[in-house]
Amino acid sequence: MMITHPFHDADGDKLREECGVFGVINAADAAAITALGLHALQHRGQEAAGITSFDGKEFYSRRGLGHVADNFSSGGAIGELPGSMAVGHVRYSTTGGAGLRNVQPLYAELASGGFAIAHNGNISNAIHLRQALVQKGAIFQSTSDTEVIIHLIATSRYPTLLDRFVDALRLVEGAYSLICTTPKRMVACRDPLGIRPLVMGKLGDAIVFASETVALDVVGAQFVREVEPGELVEVRPDGRVTSHRPFGDSNPRPCIFEHVYFSRPDSIMGGTSVYQARRQIGMELAKESPVEADLVVPVPDSGVPAAIGYAQQSGIPFELGIIRSHYVGRTFIQPSDGQRTSSVKRKHNANRALVEGKRIVLIDDSIVRGTTSLKIVEMMREAGAAEVHMRIASPPTMHSCFYGVDTPERSKLLAAKMDVDAMRDFIQADSLAFVSIDGLYRAVGTDSRKASCPQYCDACFTGDYPTTLTDHGDLEAATPPAKPVKVA
Amino acid sequence: MMITHPFHDADGDKLREECGVFGVINAADAAAITALGLHALQHRGQEAAGITSFDGKEFYSRRGLGHVADNFSSGGAIGELPGSMAVGHVRYSTTGGAGLRNVQPLYAELASGGFAIAHNGNISNAIHLRQALVQKGAIFQSTSDTEVIIHLIATSRYPTLLDRFVDALRLVEGAYSLICTTPKRMVACRDPLGIRPLVMGKLGDAIVFASETVALDVVGAQFVREVEPGELVEVRPDGRVTSHRPFGDSNPRPCIFEHVYFSRPDSIMGGTSVYQARRQIGMELAKESPVEADLVVPVPDSGVPAAIGYAQQSGIPFELGIIRSHYVGRTFIQPSDGQRTSSVKRKHNANRALVEGKRIVLIDDSIVRGTTSLKIVEMMREAGAAEVHMRIASPPTMHSCFYGVDTPERSKLLAAKMDVDAMRDFIQADSLAFVSIDGLYRAVGTDSRKASCPQYCDACFTGDYPTTLTDHGDLEAATPPAKPVKVA
Amino acid sequence: MMITHPFHDADGDKLREECGVFGVINAADAAAITALGLHALQHRGQEAAGITSFDGKEFYSRRGLGHVADNFSSGGAIGELPGSMAVGHVRYSTTGGAGLRNVQPLYAELASGGFAIAHNGNISNAIHLRQALVQKGAIFQSTSDTEVIIHLIATSRYPTLLDRFVDALRLVEGAYSLICTTPKRMVACRDPLGIRPLVMGKLGDAIVFASETVALDVVGAQFVREVEPGELVEVRPDGRVTSHRPFGDSNPRPCIFEHVYFSRPDSIMGGTSVYQARRQIGMELAKESPVEADLVVPVPDSGVPAAIGYAQQSGIPFELGIIRSHYVGRTFIQPSDGQRTSSVKRKHNANRALVEGKRIVLIDDSIVRGTTSLKIVEMMREAGAAEVHMRIASPPTMHSCFYGVDTPERSKLLAAKMDVDAMRDFIQADSLAFVSIDGLYRAVGTDSRKASCPQYCDACFTGDYPTTLTDHGDLEAATPPAKPVKVA
Amino acid sequence: MMITHPFHDADGDKLREECGVFGVINAADAAAITALGLHALQHRGQEAAGITSFDGKEFYSRRGLGHVADNFSSGGAIGELPGSMAVGHVRYSTTGGAGLRNVQPLYAELASGGFAIAHNGNISNAIHLRQALVQKGAIFQSTSDTEVIIHLIATSRYPTLLDRFVDALRLVEGAYSLICTTPKRMVACRDPLGIRPLVMGKLGDAIVFASETVALDVVGAQFVREVEPGELVEVRPDGRVTSHRPFGDSNPRPCIFEHVYFSRPDSIMGGTSVYQARRQIGMELAKESPVEADLVVPVPDSGVPAAIGYAQQSGIPFELGIIRSHYVGRTFIQPSDGQRTSSVKRKHNANRALVEGKRIVLIDDSIVRGTTSLKIVEMMREAGAAEVHMRIASPPTMHSCFYGVDTPERSKLLAAKMDVDAMRDFIQADSLAFVSIDGLYRAVGTDSRKASCPQYCDACFTGDYPTTLTDHGDLEAATPPAKPVKVA
């Protein structure tokens, strides 16, 4: 959710969801529940975490770099966050010390009292709004686009906080699933297109909001429903739940990539099991792009469900031809004869005894820059594979995301630079195929894509962005804004 | 390798391998290679790591609590370990700060010069040997059984270091795969029964030793052969490799549990692929204990290969009915309404949409105390499973290990307390079956077990210990020795 | 400089200066010079330090809890602060982790560009100004009164930054010695009364500003002159120095306590040597309150110069009857028989062999709560002193300071509760005398105090506050404002 | 007490005492008392501290780098050290991480049980003894000479621990003041010459041992007597105190430099007040080397008592012409125009207003390498001093110490390289004089030095070493022993 990052060159070769949000109201130990919930959403943002609680009198906040477990598993940490209302956030951040002031929830003391906000998504006119606010005398403490929302609320002329909040949101464009707290209520809301997910659950008398249903499962809450696109749900300490629809109607376009990669397979997204959608993508792929082979091998772990589907559809045995180490993280110093090894090898190792002499169908979820695919294919060949056929459980990723997903700049997306044949040559596979956009739509349980009014946001595959992109006039070639002061 | 721990009550519900060792000689950047190798062996010991290098003049040592990546990924750390010979160790240790002096490699300055040693295994007469050494004036700096070997070498009357080394090993009983360095050589050796594994590889001009072949793969080395049971391999800086057989012949009995659980699936152990052996166990299990069901579901990740085998043999589809979170570690504070959640849930979550209404065959590698199995079965039922049939890819674990594996005391082993029917009731499964001991032997590629002269150490299943157990006269009821000073 | 602290109950028994400031422009290695300068001002604020530099393009900032040496002695820290302009700050802060966002220099991005500010002093209408700003939509990131100045600048309607700055300062009342940087200049200014000190020096082509001359000495700069009360000195990167006098004329009233205790004895303050003023106070005291005795003993270290003066004037030998340990800091766990020892004893120990049987004149700089004086007198008696006569090198401290000095609330000031005779009984001395207010004025080199128009701010002795105290309407009984969110 | 250090090139320009010891038996909260006592001895060793306690059953130990307050002020730290008997140690160590295993008390489990030892002094045949022990199979865990004593005890053939202890001490030569604990007693002993100090005190029912009386003062204990040279005092848990004299009679030769510099001025050493001895040295110096001048200025803090004596004897006023900062420690990054400043300036600053135009007598305790003296003289001249006369409160330091004091190697001692006239020229003073050896002896309260049988060890001034120096055959040119493994 950094204004500065949309073109950040990630060192991994995956798109990265940038945030997960969680909130609970009317629960004893709200912070402990929030810590568990954020832990279940850790895959949505692994570099920083924060929780803000309210105990009826004061707000308490704790934010830290690193995993939820590093910051919020101790009794001491939770003990500093008293109260029956809490909101939390996990995020993927760019780097180091600079980040702490951008770690959410953000907090401000407004004239109406304290206000905490956790945001999943990205505001695509944040730079323009920020410049106008600074001209009027606003002083920003972070480089986060989310802070724009707070300043818009602070300077709105409407009398009530809820009106000011809606007034602020009317000015922003882009994707936002928000959970906010004031001394008198928790408010959860989702942008009119519902680009990023947000669900509501029930835990005894408490109401819970979370990015994915898996967080409800882990804290023991029951799924109630999704927060609807364009809906604003207000929950008060006395338990009253009020739904507001301040933005009128619009056709929702939730992010389809949540089904392909971001969400956990045990989540239910838009009424569909993520695991089953992925397995179904594998089946579509087997129908669309069959191949004669001995083994179906997933690139672990994200390729597993589609590989199971491909194997079931094709009848070719599913086998673990690549073993993934769970002890990955830091970069090691390469020995000077390091050409023999690589970071891919530390993470993935060929199951040589299995692969040797076999024709392999490799299943992965997506190709971003292609560097990892190249190494995985090479690893299979070194292990003696007779043929390597790559099948990808998404269409070619050709466009950047401006709605809260970390994408490399367009010029680094392999599919933006070459066609499928060239890509096959680049990764040195014997064959390469992607699932079709319609196959993907079918797999997630809808009809084929309606070109006039698509059911999902699929801009990363199609370039069809559902909102204007004010800050990115020269589409996908924007220069990052000047970097403000670095504060330790 | 702590004298004090064989009955340590682990908080996890798995047996734990206690150590991994790695050594390399005649390689530029020996320490960097060793760090990579240990990283690939991280699953064998996750609580501490150490590396000792030798640069032709001095020994350098660095040891730390935590993962290899936490201690040895920085250029600074590796830069402090110069030289072309290095030996490293990962270990599972009992607790906290106290442990640092027990972290290996252990180092001593003997009259012959510096001596570093890394040990995988456990010496079953260490307490007796230690008492005798202290009586003669030896001062121990750790509570590790490995230090006994050093003192035996230091006080041996033989003239050469190699003779002193053999003299020392003749006095110890139990399991040991050792990698040692002196200023003039690296020595790798394995006890006469070859209980713990040890392999040799080649990386250019360098010779590499490691607990498992996966470490050879990751550093880019080629597998040469196993160090044989009872063999002592000496490698000199000029490249000469000498094999010694000081202990005469004996029938090897390598640990069969390495195939069931400890080793990585991409390792080759005793000539057999660990992955394929595990898949084969699943097939044997499907033959021995078939059941009518809708899905084969592994308890991830260790149950996956056997589940694939079971599914292939039975024709029942393999599906991920349980999703494992990769962000596990610390214990979180439980909210006061915490009965609804649990640590098992943070690690494993049911894939409810898949499981609901289905008859499930659950595949796990072993049952230790049974507490996890109970929770997993319960989780399947809560997710709506119609029937839950548990199949275990090892025979019942009924006895403690005294050879370097962390086992709960016997009274806590579920299979030591009840028969299979009672176990089934305890874990509340609809049916429960274990692979037979002969099925297990067949799966790892041998004939059925020869009772008179078993091909493996399978004492944890059979109670048939291949060595005397001097320190454990009252078998499996030994009291731990008095705890020495706690040093920060 | 915390809005929340004026009545903070310090655990020490001294008044505490709350800040020191330092700035340099047109110097290679501006940050390294600033670190040295702040180190020389460490006695003015020991709990946090910060430096902000500007390299012609960007601002860089680093702030930390602890001493300057803890945060700014490493090459790494200084390397992160490039540029030829830097401003720094040391502060005494109330507590722990909460403080980091209050550590100065504060930084903001205004419409005109970056703006950094370091402040010594205290704004006595900060709470009122802040409330008005929040009503208009300002979002504060700290609880510091200094941030009020930034928001006033940000929202001023004047066109140029310098005009906005003056516009802002016209609204604030109280004490401020400020050093600010913008991309185009450094601005140093002092409130119209010149309550807190600020000097200007020259280091080659560079201009240096600092709270005290000792910082000029340590960085090798030459003293040029004081920044005048009500003066605003602007220095540009091309070396031009411009003096502005936006506030018209007023009679300066610098803090007289700087001479008594706050400043280092090797500083020159208002043209007078601090050491010589203190020695002269001792001489005045010897004239005003002579006593027959054997030894003049300072309470180290702050009582030493006055004791030397008292000894020289009286002819009684100066001796170290109390030895101060330099290893003080943390509170130790008291043994259960701890009544025999005390924290005073850890810091000060009687030189028993010297003191025994002697009549002692004890010289200290001030009495705040009286608890330390009581213990010191007791310590002298336990060491065998025949008589203990206390002489204090300042008048009785009877009123709180609202201008940047940490004072206990009035009800805890011993001199606010009792007369000199009662104070003597309380501390159990044989006699007690304070220097007179006129004696103090004479010692610092002026005539006696002019009651109609005092030459100094001496409100802590006289209650004669030189400004209105808007936030403290009910003088010296103000309740602290509600505490905002605690942010880790 | 490192075998490796006698010629360590300290970065400061002072000799450094290397250790302080403290022990207490029969006191509730023995560890808390020991922490306080060590804190009072912090000047004797500032780089590491350790405490070992015994609670009737087990020994507990905690050791850390840094000050006592950094390691032992928290309740947690003291809580880990239960029991009514404790022994502690502060030390000056060479460097960094390597040191922790050398931090005392050292602990070993002997056949007779646990044994902890704290040592002040240095064993001058430790290398020879160590080599012999290693030949017999001893394994050393530190590079400390103290560990030699433990191994000698462990391998002694005598039946009782006390006999083994005496047997061991008979083999060592050099200086040792030891405090040891076994499960049944505390033993304090001092080498036959009594080179390093050791005193005994009483705190209720508890017996306390400490390097200096100031530690007794701070814990509230009463001084009983010194442990006599060659005496071994045994204290048992039932309160019995037994004195042993196993070494027969010898003429004591305590270190005279304790009076000059090492000890705290508020300690009583050999019946004499350290402060009064230092003041008396100043008086002797004024008689022996008078000079016409305006001010007597101490080099703070160690020159203060002698300066007071010089001023009293000469009638020249005592003034603080140099101000010392208490915030010293780390080295700062020098700005590139750093020739204008220096580390001496950060620590000492001229009191320019006082010094300008005056003739100064500078008093310092000793000259080691002369580099600091040179800078201090230069600083006085830059501040405008008309003349600078240096007077030193000890004879020229010409020889290394082998008894527990850190001395630069002889070739770096200024007085070993040149005569007094040349030294005066080197430091650029107008005159230079040292107190005579007889003047020093008189000042500490004895007659003049008896050349045939000196009353003190004054080898650093005279080269007259009271013991053989086995490890240093080629006197004062010994090469340091090979450095053993560096262990993190």
Side-chain angles (χ1 to χ4, degrees), chain D residues 433-453:
Chain D
F434 293 81
V435 77
S436 67
I437 189 87
D438 282 339
L440 174 60
Y441 269 66
R442 280 193 302 273
V444 298
T446 60
D447 299 331
S448 298
R449 184 179 197 265
K450 292 179 197 161
S452 61
C453 176

Side-chain angles (χ1 to χ4, degrees), chain B residues 293-335:
Chain B
D294 303 309
L295 307 173
V296 174
V297 169
V299 178
D301 288 339
S302 55
V304 170
I308 290 173
Y310 197 102
Q312 289 177 353
Q313 180 68 31
S314 65
I316 305 169
F318 168 90
E319 298 277 8
L320 300 188
I322 301 172
I323 302 299
R324 177 182 172 182
S325 166
H326 290 302
Y327 306 101
V328 179
R330 248 156 280 206
T331 301
F332 277 77
I333 298 302
Q334 282 300 340

Side-chain angles (χ1 to χ4, degrees), chain A residues 136, chain C residues 136 152-160 164 167:
Chain A
K136 288 185 201 149
Chain C
K136 289 184 202 149
L152 289 174
I153 296 170
T155 55
S156 169
R157 303 279 175 91
Y158 280 82
T160 71
R164 288 165 168 239
D167 184 37

Side-chain angles (χ1 to χ4, degrees), chain C residues 190-202:
Chain C
R190 211 169 154 199
D191 65 78
L193 299 170
I195 296 177
R196 302 255 69 86
L198 192 61
V199 299
M200 180 160 68
K202 204 169 163 50

Side-chain angles (χ1 to χ4, degrees), chain A residues 368-413:
Chain A
V368 181
R369 290 202 222 86
T371 48
T372 298
S373 303
L374 170 61
K375 285 175 188 160
I376 295 273
V377 172
E378 191 180 30
M379 180 192 292
M380 290 292 95
R381 293 214 191 275
E382 280 177 6
E387 296 173 18
V388 183
H389 302 277
M390 185 70 118
R391 294 295 177 269
I392 304 298
S394 60
T397 303
M398 290 196 283
H399 303 272
S400 294
C401 178
F402 298 98
Y403 304 122
V405 174
D406 183 55
T407 349
E409 52 183 300
R410 225 198 140 187
S411 64
K412 295 198 174 150
L413 293 171

Side-chain angles (χ1 to χ4, degrees), chain B residues 221-280:
Chain B
Q222 285 165 317
F223 175 72
V224 174
R225 62 176 180 87
E226 299 211 344
V227 175
E228 297 296 325
E231 186 186 10
L232 188 154
V233 181
E234 180 190 11
V235 189
R236 268 171 281 201
D238 60 9
R240 275 180 297 163
V241 177
T242 319
S243 170
H244 305 264
R245 311 280 319 202
F247 306 112
D249 286 342
S250 61
N251 288 314
R253 295 187 63 183
C255 168
I256 202 164
F257 215 93
E258 291 279 352
H259 295 270
V260 170
Y261 177 74
F262 300 142
S263 295
R264 259 180 59 166
D266 42 348
S267 280
I268 308 293
M269 180 86 28
T272 309
S273 154
V274 172
Y275 173 81
Q276 288 174 326
R278 287 180 192 170
R279 192 184 53 183
Q280 193 60 39

Side-chain angles (χ1 to χ4, degrees), chain D residues 376-413:
Chain D
I376 295 272
V377 172
E378 191 180 28
M379 180 192 293
M380 289 293 96
R381 294 213 191 275
E382 280 177 6
E387 295 173 17
V388 183
H389 302 276
M390 185 72 117
R391 295 293 177 269
I392 304 298
S394 60
T397 302
M398 290 196 284
H399 303 273
S400 294
C401 177
F402 297 99
Y403 303 123
V405 174
D406 183 55
T407 349
E409 53 182 301
R410 221 194 142 190
S411 65
K412 295 199 174 150
L413 293 171

